[in-house]
Amino acid sequence: MRKMLKAVSVSFGIAALLAMTGVAGAENLLTFDAAALNALPGKTTPGKSIVRPFLQQGGDVVSARVSLPANSDIAPHPHPAGKVAIVVVLSGDFQVGLGDKFDEAGLKTVAPGGVIVLRDTDPKHFARTGNGPVELMLVAAPKASVAPVWFGGK
């Protein structure tokens, strides 16, 4: 009981401190619903994928929202050299495989909420979308900055 009360008093203390220091409230919070996000500028690739960067281009870390059209095969391609890509499937039916050639037998389904890790040593990868569009969140960074858990470590 004592620990719980202590945690409650700490929570109230933090809330009071934030209120006194004038920290921006929820009315200043920046949010984007799907329509607003889709209205942001993006680059359309030849394969009709739309990439909306979250970070400035040219930095060590790349982060983007990627929109893929329905019923599409994405040709084998690499991610930036020397970077590990972590891709979260936000929505849609998505399959991905590794290799220099598109190989239907090598496709693996990744459900929404699933994560794909493309190591810096992986060959090119390819993908396929299902009957609806696919939304992905991509972060690519130098291997040294990626948490070891993504490589099976602790």
Side-chain angles (χ1 to χ4, degrees):
M1 180 73 167
R2 223 162 105 178
K3 286 183 182 179
M4 187 168 86
L5 290 176
K6 199 178 225 181
V8 169
S9 358
V10 168
S11 296
F12 283 124
I14 291 171
L17 180 62
L18 290 174
M20 290 187 302
T21 58
V23 172
E27 68 276 1
N28 295 324
L29 182 66
L30 292 175
T31 64
F32 296 85
D33 62 15
L37 182 66
N38 290 335
L40 292 174
K43 177 183 175 189
T44 302
T45 69
K48 304 293 184 221
S49 299
I50 301 172
V51 179
R52 293 180 178 86
F54 284 102
L55 301 174
Q56 293 291 337
Q57 297 298 317
D60 283 345
V61 178
V62 175
S63 178
R65 172 88 176 243
V66 180
S67 302
L68 304 170
N71 301 310
S72 296
D73 285 345
I74 293 90
H77 63 282
H79 273 282
K83 295 191 188 313
V84 172
I86 299 172
V87 183
V88 180
V89 179
L90 301 174
S91 64
D93 295 323
F94 190 64
Q95 296 178 307
V96 64
L98 290 176
D100 291 334
K101 293 183 180 187
F102 191 98
D103 175 15
E104 195 166 326
L107 288 169
K108 180 177 181 179
T109 299
V110 182
V115 175
I116 303 152
V117 177
L118 299 165
R119 297 163 293 234
D120 57 333
T121 56
D122 281 340
K124 292 179 179 180
H125 57 280
F126 51 90
R128 172 174 283 164
T129 62
N131 291 328
V134 171
E135 295 293 323
L136 305 172
M137 175 66 192
L138 174 130
V139 176
K143 183 177 182 178
S145 65
V146 176
V149 68
W150 293 111
F151 304 109
K154 295 180 181 180

